[in-house]
Amino acid sequence: MNDRTLSIVLPLASAIAIAVAWQVTVRVGGIRELILPAPTDILENLFRTLPSLLHQAVVTGREALAAFLLAVIAGFAGAAAISSSKILREILYPFIVTLQLIPKVALAPLFVIFLGIDHEARIVFAALLSFFPVLISTSVGLQHTDQSALRLCRSLGASPWRTFWSVRVPFALPHFFSGVRISSTMAVTGVVIAEFISAREGLGFAILAAGARSQTAGAFAAIGVLCGLGLALYGLVAGLEKLAIRWYRG
């Protein structure tokens, strides 16, 4: 098998092995469904409630995508700003680090107070949670551009703007997309955390509702849909990364 085939077969085989072991452990051990449902029970619940879960997934996915795009734009703009000016970097970096050290869950109720219980609060909270990976990774990439390439641009009289887009950005793309991949997963996480606090719909609300009714299989089914949503967004970012790097290098 080649590497591409192994990257598909090995995770799939591992998932099947874990599911089989889980099923056998629950059935043989007589574990109650309230404590740990079997995979077959979760699948049965998933298929029975799929229309409702898909509706909740659309709500969560829409908010996560909006938060993700906001985080990417703000993170890239912030990285470009602090990498272009040493003074600005010295001023802003301590505040960025301090804000990053604050547990974001502790800030979630404040977003409800400031922005209410609608979509805006959840989007802004999730964007804040997923903003930092893009900012830090992109700023590192922009600051570590090949110095010989920068000297060549200066010798050719290239403007700072042209140098930024033609040299600095291509060199920073791997770092940028490394942060974006992390940000894509954190955007989904941020929306779900916000839905736990202030939502009447969404997958986070579905998980809480299932837990309140002691429907453990329903909670697992919602978590499974949530994992699929996160993987879809991550896969989209990975595909865009390949296209962007190919376009810049081609």
Side-chain angles (χ1 to χ4, degrees), residues 49-62 200-203 225:
T49 61
L50 188 59
S52 174
L53 288 176
L54 289 179
H55 169 73
Q56 308 292 9
V58 169
V59 175
T60 300
R62 185 171 60 239
R200 293 182 292 271
E201 56 182 352
L203 289 173
V225 175

Side-chain angles (χ1 to χ4, degrees), residues 73-143:
I73 294 171
F76 182 84
I82 64 177
S83 64
S84 63
S85 171
K86 184 177 180 180
I87 295 177
L88 193 61
R89 182 165 62 252
E90 296 298 330
I91 294 174
L92 295 180
Y93 222 79
F95 293 100
I96 293 171
V97 173
T98 302
L99 187 59
Q100 174 68 351
L101 292 175
I102 299 174
K104 303 304 182 296
V105 178
L107 298 176
L110 295 178
F111 282 86
V112 176
I113 296 173
F114 297 151
L115 299 174
I117 62 173
D118 292 328
H119 302 287
E120 292 81 4
R122 295 189 287 276
I123 291 172
V124 174
F125 173 76
L128 177 64
L129 191 69
S130 52
F131 161 77
F132 292 99
V134 181
L135 175 72
I136 300 302
S137 297
T138 307
S139 62
V140 169
L142 291 173
Q143 292 171 32

